[in-house]
Amino acid sequence: MAAPRTTRYWLRLGTAVASLVLAALAGLAVAASSHASDATHTMADRDSPALTAAVSLGSALVNQETGVRGYGLSGTVDFLQPYQQGITDEQSAVAALRSAAAGGGEGQQRLEAVLALAQSWQTFYAQPIAAAAPAQARALSNERLDRAKTQFDALRTAMSAQQDQLQRTEEAARRDLADAEQLRDGVFIAVAGAIVIMILLVFEGLRRGVTRPLTQLSADARQVAAGDLTHPISPSGPADLRALAADVEAMRRRLAGELAAVEQSRRMLDEQATELERSNAELEQFAYVASHDLQEPLRKVASFCQLLQRRYAEQLDERANQYIEFAVDGANRMQTLIQDLLAFSRVGRTFDADGVVDLEAVFDRVLDTLSITIEETGAQVTHDRLPTVTGDQTQLGMLLQNLLSNAVKFRDPERPPRIAVTVTRAEADASAGAGAGAYWEIAVTDNGIGIPAEYAERVFAIFQRLHSRDAYPGNGIGLAVSRKIVELHGGRILIDPDQKTGTRIVITFPVREAEPGEPGEPDESAETP
């Protein structure tokens, strides 16, 4: 079975084919450019300079003939100057022609023929006359003029043939250069056309193989994201894009299944909420009955027991009086338990979650409420400046009062109570349990009898006591109410297990947005003797 054709496969294949085509076109372009360069070099560095040198050679020989013939006819030495210059120009032109080697073998043969005729003419006519005295030069010129003329005419004919041959060679080089340039331009146009075609092919390939499948996948995904989880994802394109579409389709099916489960759970929650409302209504009715109907018989029991004790005091012995006291105390305790249970159930029932509470002001009112108890026990309370938080002012006041009254109640008989309330601000982490962001940590530390570490969690349960009622009065509901209040405010309350002397209770509250500032140092002015 063939491997699936992925986008990477098609990209590699397209890149390989494009690279081969471009390499071939680049080779043709290099060859055409090289040929054009060679043709340009041949014409510019060989054929054109050779033709120019051949013309210069002809001019130099004509100058020699004109100068030496003028000297031979007139005997004037000045005519020898063009002759001498012609000899110099002849040597330069011959050197240039030999260096260029234009015309190939035929060109060299014609050059040698011209030089041979020139040598013959110079030996027979030009050199002897130029070397003779003026009077002898005239006589020698008249004697050899006709033959010299015949020789020079033959030389002219040879030079014309040489120049014609070089002219033809140069024209051939020009035609070759034009053909090379035309070929080069054609190759470059073909390269440009191939590049344009490949760009169009790449664009079309990407459109069909990538863009169109991705567009379809995006449209399907947007429709699903808009809430239509029943819309299927249609796979198309290369194998990897089809695999991606299959993954998205699997995710859609999973989300559809989860949504169905969520809908079913929501319906169940709605049913449970309805049932909970009904149960709460029944609890409200129970609270009403507990607060009125249950307490009234207890009051009657206590009242009639006391009335019985007063009326028949002379007929009752000590044990009967003790039994009546036990009955009255039990009825009173039952009333207290019912009242505490009602107080616990009412926490959070009228909860103001959006109130702005200045804990500093609430703390001052709590101190004022407990001032008599603090004065009688000789307690000393110090505290940092408390922050402003969001919550219910009444319940937060109840929280602070419970904590401070417990710190005073469970004091060590050997020393006066010392209570310190400290405030710090920290950033929450995974183990803080105080939610995300910053939080206030408020610690209430006393020097009382302390709480053993093994009971650090038990003391927060309702009606849980660690001591007898004779030693410390109460029903064991204060810390249970405190925990419920703290949790309703999004915080946490716990007992520090590392505290060795007394008890340290730590409370955390989320920092309120737009908090006015950090708490200050401990306010010594808040110390209460």
Side-chain angles (χ1 to χ4, degrees):
M1 182 177 179
R5 305 288 177 83
T6 64
T7 305
R8 179 177 297 179
Y9 168 82
W10 289 113
L11 287 177
R12 287 179 176 176
L13 179 61
T15 303
V17 173
S19 299
L20 291 176
V21 173
L22 289 178
L25 293 175
L28 290 176
V30 170
S33 298
S34 177
H35 181 57
S37 178
D38 292 342
T40 302
H41 173 73
T42 298
M43 189 189 72
D45 297 341
R46 189 189 71 179
D47 294 339
S48 292
L51 180 59
T52 302
V55 173
S56 298
L57 176 60
S59 298
L61 292 174
V62 169
N63 288 337
Q64 292 179 35
E65 192 274 338
T66 301
V68 75
R69 185 161 55 85
Y71 177 65
L73 292 176
S74 64
T76 303
V77 178
D78 292 340
F79 281 101
L80 291 178
Q81 182 178 0
Y83 170 73
Q84 298 295 334
Q85 183 63 41
I87 292 175
T88 303
D89 293 341
E90 177 192 0
Q91 293 173 351
S92 298
V94 170
L97 285 169
R98 291 187 186 279
S99 174
E106 182 183 357
Q108 294 302 310
Q109 291 176 1
R110 290 186 181 278
L111 176 60
E112 296 300 329
V114 169
L115 293 178
L117 292 173
Q119 181 66 31
S120 176
W121 173 78
Q122 290 171 346
T123 303
F124 173 75
Y125 181 75
Q127 292 176 356
I129 291 177
Q136 296 175 349
R138 285 195 301 272
L140 186 60
S141 175
N142 290 331
E143 178 183 353
R144 299 184 178 186
L145 182 61
D146 292 337
R147 183 179 175 182
K149 185 176 180 298
T150 301
Q151 289 179 335
F152 200 81
D153 288 341
L155 177 59
R156 286 179 186 274
T157 300
M159 288 190 297
S160 296
Q162 179 198 22
Q163 293 176 8
D164 290 341
Q165 192 267 338
L166 292 176
Q167 182 69 35
R168 289 193 299 274
T169 302
E170 184 190 28
E171 290 176 355
R174 287 184 182 277
R175 289 193 299 273
D176 185 50
L177 176 60
D179 293 341
E181 289 178 344
Q182 185 176 4
L183 176 62
R184 180 196 61 191
D185 295 341
V187 170
F188 282 140
I189 291 173
V191 171
I195 292 175
V196 171
I197 292 173
M198 283 190 294
I199 290 174
L200 293 177
L201 290 176
V202 168
F203 175 79
E204 182 64 17
L206 289 176
R207 187 183 71 83
R208 292 189 178 186
V210 178
T211 305
R212 188 163 61 187
L214 283 178
T215 302
Q216 180 63 35
L217 178 60
S218 299
D220 292 340
R222 282 194 297 271
Q223 188 168 348
V224 172
D228 186 7
L229 293 180
T230 61
H231 179 72
I233 305 296
S234 303
S236 61
D240 49 354
L241 292 183
R242 291 198 301 272
L244 175 61
D247 292 339
V248 177
E249 172 66 10
M251 180 176 65
R252 180 196 67 81
R253 293 178 179 176
R254 185 172 63 253
L255 289 175
E258 292 178 355
L259 180 61
V262 169
E263 286 294 329
Q264 183 178 1
S265 299
R266 185 183 62 80
R267 287 192 296 269
M268 294 177 61
L269 286 176
D270 290 341
E271 295 174 358
Q272 292 176 359
T274 303
E275 179 65 22
L276 184 61
E277 290 179 358
R278 185 189 63 80
S279 177
N280 286 338
E282 293 178 354
L283 287 176
E284 290 286 346
Q285 183 65 26
F286 168 76
Y288 176 81
V289 171
S291 60
H292 295 82
D293 298 345
L294 292 182
Q295 292 191 58
E296 182 60 28
L298 292 175
R299 283 195 294 269
K300 286 185 178 180
V301 169
S303 298
F304 279 103
C305 286
Q306 292 173 348
L307 181 61
L308 181 65
Q309 186 180 30
R310 287 197 299 271
R311 178 169 296 183
Y312 299 101
E314 297 179 355
Q315 302 178 22
L316 298 177
D317 58 10
E318 183 178 354
R319 178 167 294 184
N321 289 323
Q322 186 178 15
Y323 289 164
I324 292 174
E325 290 176 1
F326 286 162
V328 172
D329 181 64
N332 291 334
R333 282 175 51 202
M334 180 62 74
Q335 278 188 303
T336 304
L337 288 173
I338 292 174
Q339 291 170 359
D340 288 344
L341 183 60
L342 288 174
F344 182 79
S345 65
R346 290 192 185 102
V347 173
R349 190 174 300 172
T350 57
F351 177 64
D352 182 9
D354 300 324
V356 178
V357 181
D358 183 3
L359 290 181
E360 180 70 20
V362 174
F363 189 83
D364 290 340
R365 287 196 294 272
V366 170
L367 287 179
D368 185 63
T369 302
L370 300 176
S371 59
I372 296 177
T373 303
I374 292 174
E375 183 177 356
E376 289 177 350
T377 58
Q380 186 178 35
V381 182
T382 60
H383 71 284
D384 295 347
R385 179 169 182 80
L386 299 177
T388 299
V389 298
T390 301
D392 187 278
Q393 179 172 318
T394 301
Q395 294 188 10
L396 290 175
M398 185 186 305
L399 168 67
L400 294 177
Q401 183 168 339
N402 282 343
L403 297 180
L404 291 180
S405 61
N406 276 355
V408 174
K409 179 194 297 185
F410 297 102
R411 61 187 179 275
D412 193 317
E414 302 297 329
R415 52 180 178 265
R418 295 291 181 265
I419 305 168
V421 180
T422 58
V423 180
T424 56
R425 177 171 174 159
E427 296 294 329
D429 54 22
S431 61
Y439 64 92
W440 295 114
E441 183 178 278
I442 302 175
V444 179
T445 307
D446 61 53
N447 63 343
I449 61 175
I451 298 175
E454 59 268 25
Y455 300 114
E457 186 63 25
R458 175 183 170 185
V459 293
F460 290 105
I462 188 171
F463 298 141
Q464 293 296 317
R465 299 176 51 86
L466 301 182
H467 309 281
S468 66
R469 289 183 177 82
D470 295 336
Y472 296 98
N475 293 319
I477 196 175
L479 289 180
V481 171
S482 298
R483 167 170 281 186
K484 192 172 182 180
I485 293 173
V486 172
E487 290 178 350
L488 283 173
H489 286 78
R492 185 179 180 186
I493 182 171
L494 53 86
I495 294 176
D496 186 359
D498 298 328
Q499 183 70 17
K500 302 303 181 183
T501 302
T503 303
R504 183 173 184 265
I505 299 179
V506 181
I507 309 167
T508 60
F509 287 117
V511 172
R512 173 177 166 267
E513 292 184 3
E515 187 65 32
E518 298 287 341
E521 295 298 325
D523 187 358
E524 299 298 337
S525 62
E527 181 175 319
T528 303

